C-alpha cells in the first residue's frame, strides 16, 4: 500500500506530513516514557522482522499480491498503538530512502495510513474484542480491520489526489485489501501473538508493564 | 544484565528476519501489490502512462529491493542490508530514548 511520489500532488503530500508529524512526535514521547532496557531488544527484533516480512508479497489471486503491515502486531505486544506508529515510521523511512518503496514526499501519507490508522484501528479493535473472543481471534480481527480501513482511507486519498475515481477506487482497494488483510495481516498477526502468548506471556502488554519482580530487578541493574 | 531473556527474543527475531530476507526474493509474488493493481484497473491509460513516467522525488540506492546486475543474490543482499539497517536504527533509537537505564 506504499504510495509512490507520482500518485499524489506535492501540496497534498505535505498536508499528510503535517497530519502525521504530531503522531510521530507522540510516538517518540511514548518511547521516552515507556521504553526500558527490557523492551528495546523486543522493539528492534519486531522492527527487523516486519521489514523482512514486508518484502514477502503473498499472491492473493486476481493478479495481485499483498504483504503484512505489522502496526497492529507491534501495538498489541507493547500495549500501545504509539509503538506501532514508531516502528512503522522507522520501517517506512528505510523503505523509502534505501529502496524507493513508497515516495519521500508521500511518506507522511504512508506513515498515516500504515502506521497510525492501521495501528490505532487494529489495536483498539483488538482491545474491544479480547475479553469476549480471546487473544487469537481478537488479534486476527484487529489486524484485519486495521488493514482494511487503512486501504479505504488510501482509496479516498487517491480520489482527492485526482489519481483514482472514487467508487471504482474504493471497490478495487477494498476488495484487494479485504483479502490481503485476511491472509497477510490477520493470520500472521494472530499466529505471532498466539505464539508469544504461549511462549513468553510476560511480553504481552499488561504483563509487560505490571511485573513487580522484573521492574524491581531492573531498578537494581 | 536485566534484559537477558529479551536479548534471546532479539536473537530469535534477527534469525527469523534474516531467514525471511533470504527466502523473500524466491517466494515473494511478482504480481503488483493492491495499490498498483487498483491503479492498473481504475486509472485511465493516458494518465497511467503519465504517472509511470514520473521519476521518484529522491532516487534510492537499491530500488525495488534489488542491486543492479546482481540478480537474485542482489535481492537477498538488499533485503538483508535493509533488515540489518532497520534493526540497527530501531535498537539505536531505543537506546538513545531509554534514559532510565
Amino acid at each position: 500500500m506504499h504510495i509512490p511520489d507520482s500518485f499524489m500532488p506535492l501540496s497534498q503530500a505535505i498536508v499528510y506530513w503535517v497530519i502525521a508529524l504530531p503522531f510521530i512526535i507522540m510516538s517518540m514521547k511514548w518511547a521516552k516514557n515507556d521504553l526500558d532496557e527490557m523492551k528495546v531488544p523486543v522493539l528492534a527484533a519486531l522492527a527487523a522482522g516486519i521489514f523482512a516480512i514486508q518484502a514477502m508479497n503473498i499472491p492473493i489471486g486476481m493478479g495481485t499480491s499483498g504483504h503484512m503491515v505489522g502496526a497492529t502486531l507491534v501495538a498489541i505486544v507493547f500495549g500501545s498503538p504509539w509503538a506501532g506508529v514508531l516502528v512503522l515510521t522507522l520501517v517506512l523511512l528505510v523503505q523509502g530512502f534505501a529502496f524507493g518503496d513508497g515516495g519521500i514526499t508521500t511518506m507522511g501519507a504512508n506513515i498515516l495510513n500504515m502506521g497510525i490508522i492501521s495501528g490505532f484501528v487494529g489495536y483498539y479493535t483488538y482491545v474491544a474484542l479480547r475479553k469476549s473472543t480471546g487473544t487469537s481471534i481478537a488479534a486476527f480481527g484487529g489486524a484485519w480491520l486495521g488493514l482494511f480501513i487503512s486501504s479505504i482511507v488510501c482509496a479516498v486519498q487517491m480520489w482527492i489526489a485526482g489519481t483514482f475515481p472514487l467508487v471504482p477506487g474504493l471497490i478495487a482497494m477494498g476488495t484487494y485489501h479485504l483479502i490481503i488483510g485476511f491472509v497477510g495481516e490477520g493470520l500472521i498477526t494472530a499466529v505471532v501473538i498466539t505464539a508469544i502468548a504461549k511462549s513468553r506471556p510476560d511480553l504481552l502488554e499488561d504483563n509487560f508493564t505490571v511485573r513487580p519482580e522484573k521492574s524491581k530487578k531492573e531498578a537494581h541493574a | 544484565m536485566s534484559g537477558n531473556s529479551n536479548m534471546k527474543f532479539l536473537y530469535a527475531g534477527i534469525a527469523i528476519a534474516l531467514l525471511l530476507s533470504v527466502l523473500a526474493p524466491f517466494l515473494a509474488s511478482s504480481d503488483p501489490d493492491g495499490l498498483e493493481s487498483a491503479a492498473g484497473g481504475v486509472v485511465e491509460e493516458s494518465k497511467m502512462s503519465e504517472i509511470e513516467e514520473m521519476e521518484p522525488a529522491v532516487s534510492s540506492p537499491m530500488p525495488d529491493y534489488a542491486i543492479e546486475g546482481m540478480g537474485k543474490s542482489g535481492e537477498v543482499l538488499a533485503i538483508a542490508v535493509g533488515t540489518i539497517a532497520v534493526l540497527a536504527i530501531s535498537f539505536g533509537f531505543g537506546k538513545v530514548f531509554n534514559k532510565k537505564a
Side-chain angles (χ1 to χ4, degrees):
Chain A
M1 213 193 304
H2 296 67
I3 303 170
D5 291 315
S6 58
F7 276 42
M8 190 180 275
L10 183 60
S11 58
Q12 293 182 23
I14 292 170
V15 171
Y16 295 118
W17 263 117
V18 171
I19 298 171
L21 262 179
F23 285 90
I24 298 169
I25 292 166
M26 283 302 290
S27 80
M28 290 179 174
K29 281 209 173 125
W30 170 84
K32 212 170 168 186
N33 294 329
D34 252 64
L35 273 185
D36 56 34
E37 194 86 351
M38 297 291 288
K39 294 179 188 175
V40 171
V42 180
L43 186 90
L46 284 177
I50 281 166
F51 173 85
I53 207 164
Q54 283 202 2
M56 194 105 80
N57 272 36
I58 304 162
I60 59 155
M62 301 178 284
T64 301
S65 67
H67 60 70
M68 185 184 197
V69 167
T72 306
L73 172 62
V74 177
I76 294 173
V77 170
F78 284 94
S80 167
W82 298 115
V85 175
L86 179 67
V87 165
L88 264 289
T89 300
L90 297 173
V91 167
L92 284 162
L93 272 170
V94 173
Q95 287 174 333
F97 279 101
F99 302 100
D101 195 9
I104 306 297
T105 64
T106 49
M107 200 181 291
N110 287 323
I111 292 171
L112 175 64
N113 297 350
M114 287 186 264
I116 301 164
I117 294 171
S118 119
F120 271 80
V121 172
Y123 178 68
Y124 286 107
T125 305
Y126 164 80
V127 169
L129 288 177
R130 188 178 39 175
K131 278 201 181 111
S132 52
T133 66
T135 304
S136 308
I137 293 171
F140 176 88
W144 174 81
L145 190 67
L147 189 85
F148 179 70
I149 298 295
S150 134
S151 80
I152 293 297
V153 172
C154 184
V156 173
Q157 292 166 342
M158 289 296 97
W159 171 62
I160 298 170
T163 305
F164 287 8
L166 182 60
V167 174
L170 281 171
I171 293 171
M173 285 297 279
T175 312
Y176 293 147
H177 289 90
L178 209 101
I179 305 168
I180 297 166
F182 194 91
V183 186
E185 200 71 20
L187 279 179
I188 298 172
T189 305
V191 166
V192 174
I193 292 297
T194 307
I196 294 177
K198 284 206 172 118
S199 60
R200 289 290 308 275
D202 59 301
L203 276 186
L204 283 185
E205 30 148 354
D206 311 331
N207 304 327
F208 212 156
T209 40
V210 202
R211 265 230 152 170
E213 324 96 305
K214 275 209 174 136
S215 42
K216 233 185 259 163
K217 239 199 213 160
E218 222 165 277
H220 290 296
Chain B
M1 173 177 171
S2 62
N4 205 11
S5 59
N6 288 355
M7 289 307 284
K8 276 186 195 150
F9 190 97
L10 177 66
Y11 300 139
I14 296 171
I16 292 170
L18 289 177
L19 180 70
L20 288 173
S21 307
V22 174
L23 294 177
F26 301 95
L27 295 184
S29 164
S30 56
D31 287 338
D33 75 6
L35 180 63
E36 287 162 22
S37 287
V42 302
V43 178
E44 284 169 44
E45 252 171 61
S46 58
K47 192 174 171 95
M48 196 64 202
S49 52
E50 191 186 306
I51 287 173
E52 276 165 356
E53 271 167 32
M54 276 174 72
E55 293 287 321
V58 174
S59 64
S60 49
M62 294 174 276
D64 296 322
Y65 303 92
I67 298 170
E68 229 185 309
M70 281 184 68
K72 286 282 179 199
S73 56
E75 291 180 32
V76 170
L77 190 62
I79 298 170
V81 166
T83 301
I84 292 164
V86 170
L87 185 83
I89 291 170
S90 49
F91 198 82
F93 179 91
K95 285 285 174 195
V96 168
F97 271 73
N98 167 25
K99 301 267 166 65
K100 282 158 288 188

